[in-house]
Each structure stands twice: as structure tokens, then as C-alpha cells.
Amino acid sequence: MKPARPIIVLAGALLLAASAQAQTAITPPAAEKPAESKPTKTETRHKPFATKKTAGPAAPAAPKPSPSPASPTPPASPVPDNPNVDLVYGAYQRGQYKTALDLAAARAQTGDTKAMTMLGELYANALGVKRDYAKAIDWYKRASDGGDREAMFALAMMRLAGRGGPVDRDAAVRLLASAAKLGEPKAAYNLALLYIDGQTLPQDLKRAAELLRVAADAGNPEAQYALATFYKEGTGVEKDPEKAVRLLQAASLADNVDAEVEYAIALFNGTGTPKNQAAAVALLRKAARQNSPIAQNRLARVLIYGMGAPVDKIEGLKWHLVAKTAGKGDPELDEEFAKLTPAERAKVDESARHWLGTK
């Protein structure tokens, strides 16, 4: 089960070394060369009081992902023996936070670490109670001391962000390492980011790749996308385009928009996977509708030049204008727009304004 309002924790401004934004390009008639891509800074989400799903994970399907992304979530914590645990989490999931607070408070008095983690979640996010970082930290610490990996992760993120007290990177690293050892994929991913960044910890791309693999194997789409870029560029691992594509596909199935774009480009060009331009265009459409400027630009190109899809200059130039408003300009497509008749330009402008909500 997924919580209705998970904690959003900042991983920090951690950038991969020697990588550029996901700007890989579909090669248009003008032979545009793809640029490098990189794992982007991703917010991680704490999912407290998680329980195992009865159904097994779905097998990877054709393009996508995102999973967003909605993506397969990391393996949940074991279901506690106490049947009241599900009552607490059920109330939380339904948005009945005051009820969840009361039930969790009673369970916490019996030493239930999952209930303690829930209390930390509620106090940290002002759910059913006034926000109180001090109380959130206290409950997270109790649960963490009791061995709860999700509490360790949440407390680490609070230490990194300086919520409820000064920033304490050393304590955060220890907590992330402990949670990662217990199998918390979000902790492994964020610890990998610290090794990549090279500020809180000495830069160690090989160790970062190992941690990303742990999180990726557990189904974390951000880690899958990041590790894909490692295999694509040979960062911390031996270069392997096929492994990169498999990871991009998995992350794309979880609705990770960056992965959708990269996977679409790989499919379009047949890089590390058989060429499938129709599937690539479908993925680009999906990512474009999720407001990815890169996807919007690439979709504009394939529609304007009829690559993998029927020519549709009006629709294609609409996406060009939309991408341009987000800073993804394209002089070549500006020239295509200039070739339109006044009536066609008006139609493109109207379509773009409608999408942008400025009509």
C-alpha cells in the first residue's frame, strides 16, 4: 500500500560528475549528434509503515518508463505481527491522520517501531497534528534505535536538510549507511548521490555504482535511471549500452520521465536495443505530455520531418513552441515555423497557447 501523502525529502544539490543534462537527441535530417545525459537530482520519498503487497511485481512490459515515476515502489518493510499495524496505516492511507496519530501513539507505547516511524511522519508533515520537527526527530530516533530502516532514512534526510536542528552530514551518512545495509533502497540511492557529489564523502564512483545497483535491483526508478547513465557512459562501471537500455526501460515503466526520453531515443536510434521508431514516438508523446521540454523538442522533430510517424507540421510546431517556452529552443524548427502560411502559424500559436493555458 502506498501512503496518501508521503514525506518529500531533499537529496541535496548532488550532480553527477562529467555528465550533462539528458539532452540526447534523435538524429534529425540535419544529423544532430546526441549529447550526454546524467542522473538528475531527484527528490526521494519516505513511505512509512509500508506493508507487503499480496500480488507479485508485474513483469516489465514494452515501453512505458516511470514507472514515475507510477512506478513500482521499493520493496516494503516486513509486515509486523501485530494486526493493529494495518489499522494505523489504513487510517493514514485514507487521510484520517488524527485517527492514525491516536492509534500509532498507543502502539508506540508498546515499543512498536513502525508506529514510532508513523508518528515521526505525522509530526514532520503536520498531518493530523501541528508540525513539530523536534517531536518528529524524537520519534524517528526511537524507531531508528529500534532498527527501523525507514526511520533511519527519514532521520538522515532531516539531518541533511537541517530540519529540527543544525545540518549534521556525518550523522546523516551513518544513518543512510545503516538503512542501506538493512535493504532500504532510498537510503542506498541517496548515499550513492553523496559518493557522486564528492563533498560530504570522498568521491567514489565505483562505490556509488554499487549502491545504485542495490537500489535499482529493489525497483527504485531514480536509481535505475542513474545507473543506466553510468553504464551508458562507463562511469564507475564498464560501459554497457545493453544494460543501460534495460535499466532505462525499467525506470521508464515506473514513469520516470527522464528515463522515458532516454529510452525513446535509444529505441529510435537502435542504440543497445533493436530499433523501434513507432514505440519511440509513443514514448516521446507520453513524456511530452508530462512536460519534458526535451521530449517536446524531439517529438516536434519527428512529426515535422515524418520520422517514425506521419508528417504533422502543425502538431510538431506546436510542441516546438511549447518546448521553446521552457528554454528548449531550436533554430532549425524556427525556420520551419517561418515557412508556414499566416493561417497555419495562427493555428500553431493557438494550439500552443491552449496547451500552455494562456489562450
Side-chain angles (χ1 to χ4, degrees):
M1 292 184 290
K2 298 181 182 177
R5 294 177 57 186
I7 295 178
I8 298 178
V9 289
L10 298 178
L14 305 175
L15 301 177
L16 279 180
S19 299
Q21 184 76 15
Q23 301 277 330
T24 311
I26 289 176
T27 307
E32 180 182 348
K33 182 181 177 183
E36 297 286 324
S37 65
K38 73 170 177 70
T40 54
K41 169 187 145 184
T42 309
E43 290 188 349
T44 54
R45 296 174 183 272
H46 169 55
K47 298 183 172 85
F49 231 57
T51 57
K52 288 183 178 177
K53 297 182 180 179
T54 54
K64 260 185 65 22
S66 121
S68 225
S71 31
T73 56
S77 303
V79 181
D81 294 333
N82 175 39
N84 291 324
V85 163
D86 282 343
L87 295 178
V88 179
Y89 186 74
Y92 174 90
Q93 191 180 39
R94 292 190 297 273
Q96 297 171 349
Y97 302 123
K98 184 62 170 64
T99 299
L101 180 76
D102 293 340
L103 291 171
R107 290 301 311 153
Q109 297 307 312
T110 69
D112 190 316
T113 57
K114 287 296 178 187
M116 295 174 189
T117 300
M118 174 62 78
L119 289 172
E121 155 84 349
L122 296 172
Y123 277 109
N125 292 277
L127 302 175
V129 67
K130 183 178 179 180
R131 177 177 282 110
D132 189 327
Y133 286 139
K135 287 185 178 179
I137 287 175
D138 180 58
W139 284 116
Y140 280 143
K141 189 173 187 308
R142 293 190 196 187
S144 177
D145 291 344
D148 187 86
R149 67 185 190 180
E150 291 180 327
M152 293 174 190
F153 170 71
L155 184 56
M157 293 298 99
M158 292 190 75
R159 297 302 191 201
L160 280 176
R163 291 200 301 270
V167 171
D168 189 339
R169 293 183 177 276
D170 291 339
V173 167
R174 290 193 297 271
L175 287 162
L176 288 175
S178 295
K181 285 182 181 178
L182 292 174
E184 174 52 62
K186 298 182 295 295
Y189 172 68
N190 280 273
L191 189 57
L193 293 182
L194 294 178
Y195 277 113
I196 292 167
D197 181 51
Q199 296 185 29
T200 301
L201 292 168
Q203 188 177 72
D204 187 337
L205 299 180
K206 184 176 180 181
R207 176 60 179 150
E210 292 170 352
L211 288 163
L212 288 175
R213 189 175 296 109
V214 169
D217 288 347
N220 182 290
E222 288 76 26
Q224 290 167 342
Y225 172 67
L227 187 57
T229 68
F230 270 40
Y231 277 115
K232 177 182 174 183
E233 300 165 9
T235 302
V237 294
E238 188 173 339
K239 195 170 184 178
D240 191 326
E242 288 77 18
K243 283 185 180 179
V245 167
R246 287 197 294 271
L247 286 160
L248 288 174
Q249 182 187 35
S252 147
L253 287 168
D255 293 332
N256 182 293
V257 179
D258 290 330
E260 288 176 356
V261 176
E262 294 286 345
Y263 184 43
I265 292 168
L267 285 169
F268 192 94
N269 294 323
T271 305
T273 185
K275 182 178 290 191
N276 188 335
Q277 292 188 342
V281 173
L283 266 179
L284 287 175
R285 287 186 188 278
K286 180 181 178 185
R289 289 166 181 159
Q290 291 172 294
N291 289 319
S292 165
I294 300 172
Q296 290 162 353
N297 171 261
R298 301 319 189 255
L299 180 59
R301 283 184 165 275
V302 300
L303 292 176
I304 290 167
Y305 297 117
M307 300 182 295
V311 172
D312 188 339
K313 291 195 174 184
I314 301 301
E315 178 74 1
L317 287 167
K318 174 199 85 171
W319 286 117
H320 164 57
L321 294 186
V322 171
K324 193 173 180 179
T325 64
K328 191 60 184 171
D330 192 322
E332 185 178 334
L333 299 189
D334 283 337
E335 293 177 7
E336 294 293 332
F337 182 73
K339 295 175 185 177
L340 298 179
T341 66
E344 289 173 330
R345 284 198 296 272
K347 190 172 183 180
V348 170
D349 281 333
E350 181 182 12
S351 185
R353 286 198 304 271
H354 181 75
W355 173 264
L356 293 168
T358 58
K359 183 176 178 180

